[in-house]
Amino acid sequence: AGMAGAFLMEIRRRTQSALLVIRYAAAELPSAPVEVSVCADSLEVRSGGSCDAAALPAGVRLAPSSCRGLRRLRGDGLHLRVRLRGPPPAADVVCTLRESLKSNKNYILYCQSCGDIVVKDRKFLRVLPLPSENWSDLVEEWCCHPDPFARSTLHPQHGDCFLGDTFFLLNSGNESHVPESPKSKENTRVICKRCKTMLGETVSSETIKYYVTEVIIQLAEGSFSPTPRSQFVQSMVAQCLLELSSAKSTFRFTIKGDNGKTYILIWLLNSDTLLVESLGSSSSHSVFTQFGDILIPSAGPVGAWNAVKVLYQPCIKCRNKDLADAWENDMGVHPLKFPSETCLELLLILGLSTASLPPSLRCINSFQVRNSFY
């Protein structure tokens, strides 16, 4: 009767192994012996007169004979490790903005927060990647004479879309939400007319920078489908981490606001994680959840999600200042810039996810742990 009936399983695709945590609510330690049955396609927990069972998602098959390391941790529940019988379902292919945008197609830009149309029916004749933001710092290593690009700027024409790491540049055209003549940093902010969310900023009189966390780009013939805010933010940030780590072998990142402040330090630990979670009995819903607004009701009592595992340190209110300064001067650390409000949202999402993990899994050394879904 003391079982919360929930479990969390963290699967590593490369090693085909899993950590399984049978979870208790903090004040619900069982008084009777607990019997855990691990089957190929299901889990069952018996304690006293109660029995909680859950079927595993399709494609996830365990090897019961490989169970080892069973132990109970106060506040966590029962921990054990188990191998899989075969490879789990492959991760969904992440279609980045760079891959999804095509030339000679008409697109509509929506405000992600409220769904209002930001740019209507824009045809992109060219979709081109921008060099990384610190490319000019390396010019001295390339050239034996003064920087030939010092006065060059990259401004898109009306049919252009230039893609950066966390933003894209468009020609402003006649967009009514763009300040006509920005005179200060505050006046360069591009604001949604309906909900007043910051969407980006003006780079010049003819160029707008839109952040990928603030707008949704869809084909003009498609229909707009809203996505919960926290799900969208963590998905876009995870995509940025995956793309940059793959392209540049970079695994440490600083999350900076448009005000220049560093908000978060992130260390990408792995990108081959599959999380499986059972919500168990209704009494545990308010205690344990990894998925937040991602686990939609149609997903049933057990949810599975592809995730990247990150370590992070908050840097607000001068926290971890020495470490942030050291990362700032490290060429192996890649900066990612977002609106300051979004940086705070991301920090809240990270904190809530960490709090939802079993206490023993929340920290590695001085870093906090987070699973980011994509």
Side-chain angles (χ1 to χ4, degrees):
M3 289 296 297
F7 74 84
L8 173 67
M9 185 158 56
E10 185 177 295
I11 297 172
R12 292 294 306 276
R13 285 189 169 88
R14 291 193 183 98
T15 59
Q16 295 183 31
S17 60
L19 170 65
L20 173 63
V21 182
I22 308 292
R23 309 180 70 173
Y24 303 105
E28 293 183 348
L29 293 177
S31 56
V34 176
E35 179 182 333
V36 179
S37 298
V38 178
C39 302
D41 58 358
S42 64
L43 299 171
E44 188 176 282
V45 181
R46 295 178 180 273
S47 179
S50 67
C51 175
D52 291 297
L56 297 178
V60 177
R61 293 295 179 265
L62 304 179
S65 60
S66 67
C67 291
R68 59 183 175 83
L70 178 64
R71 57 178 179 153
R72 193 193 85 180
L73 296 181
R74 182 173 292 275
D76 280 17
L78 300 175
H79 285 231
L80 61 91
R81 292 192 175 274
V82 62
R83 294 194 63 80
L84 274 62
R85 282 190 170 178
D92 297 332
V93 177
V94 179
C95 189
T96 63
L97 195 63
R98 201 178 298 260
E99 297 168 330
S100 62
L101 292 182
K102 306 295 182 182
S103 58
N104 293 310
K105 296 284 187 179
N106 288 355
Y107 291 91
I108 297 178
L109 274 65
Y110 300 89
C111 170
Q112 197 281 323
S113 297
C114 70
D116 194 32
I117 293 179
V118 178
V119 177
K120 187 175 183 179
D121 209 18
R122 177 72 66 89
K123 186 174 186 178
F124 296 148
L125 301 178
R126 298 191 302 172
V127 179
L128 302 173
L130 288 166
S132 58
E133 290 192 45
N134 59 347
W135 69 275
S136 58
D137 298 337
L138 304 176
V139 170
E140 292 181 1
E141 305 295 331
W142 301 340
C143 302
C144 58
H145 48 79
D147 182 358
F149 309 109
R151 296 184 179 180
S152 300
T153 54
L154 298 173
H155 293 303
Q157 301 302 310
H158 186 73
D160 293 341
C161 179
F162 293 170
L163 300 173
D165 293 338
T166 63
F167 63 89
F168 54 94
L169 301 180
L170 297 183
N171 186 277
S172 59
N174 297 317
E175 306 302 333
S176 59
H177 60 287
V178 179
E180 292 184 6
S181 53
K183 297 180 177 62
S184 67
K185 176 64 178 176
E186 187 65 27
N187 287 338
T188 65
R189 293 164 64 93
V190 176
I191 306 297
C192 173
K193 293 182 292 184
R194 178 189 289 175
C195 68
K196 308 306 178 186
T197 296
M198 177 185 174
L199 306 175
E201 54 193 82
T202 55
V203 177
S204 70
S205 59
E206 296 182 350
T207 303
I208 315 173
K209 174 196 289 186
Y210 290 105
Y211 289 103
V212 297
T213 53
E214 311 309 315
V215 296
I216 294 176
I217 305 180
Q218 291 190 346
L219 287 168
E221 58 264 27
S223 58
F224 176 74
S225 54
T227 305
R229 177 66 181 164
S230 64
Q231 178 181 345
F232 185 81
V233 169
Q234 63 182 313
S235 175
M236 295 308 297
V237 173
Q239 287 181 34
C240 290
L241 300 182
L242 284 172
E243 188 173 8
L244 289 168
S245 64
S246 175
K248 302 182 180 182
S249 296
T250 298
F251 303 98
R252 289 182 296 159
F253 305 87
T254 55
I255 304 298
K256 292 176 170 288
D258 61 290
N259 56 7
K261 294 181 180 179
T262 299
Y263 285 81
I264 315 169
L265 308 178
I266 289 183
W267 198 324
L268 178 61
L269 199 58
N270 67 62
S271 57
D272 67 336
T273 297
L274 174 65
L275 285 176
V276 180
E277 184 178 21
S278 164
L279 292 183
S281 65
S282 59
S283 64
S284 68
H285 287 190
S286 62
V287 181
F288 304 126
T289 175
Q290 264 286 305
F291 294 90
D293 59 15
I294 295 177
L295 191 60
I296 55 177
S298 61
V302 177
W305 209 263
N306 301 313
V308 295
K309 195 179 191 71
V310 301
L311 309 180
Y312 71 96
Q313 290 277 25
C315 295
I316 59 174
K317 298 182 179 179
C318 295
R319 293 178 63 182
N320 301 300
K321 186 177 186 305
D322 292 342
L323 182 60
D325 290 342
W327 281 33
E328 187 74 28
N329 298 317
D330 191 329
M331 290 293 290
V333 178
H334 192 86
L336 296 176
K337 181 181 174 183
F338 299 100
S340 301
E341 297 87 346
T342 301
C343 295
L344 292 173
E345 283 183 87
L346 179 60
L347 188 56
L348 177 60
I349 293 169
L350 292 170
L352 290 173
S353 175
T354 298
S356 73
L357 286 169
S360 66
L361 303 181
R362 294 176 186 173
C363 293
I364 296 180
N365 296 331
S366 61
F367 282 81
Q368 298 180 68
V369 179
R370 158 72 162 119
N371 293 302
S372 230
F373 307 106
Y374 62 92

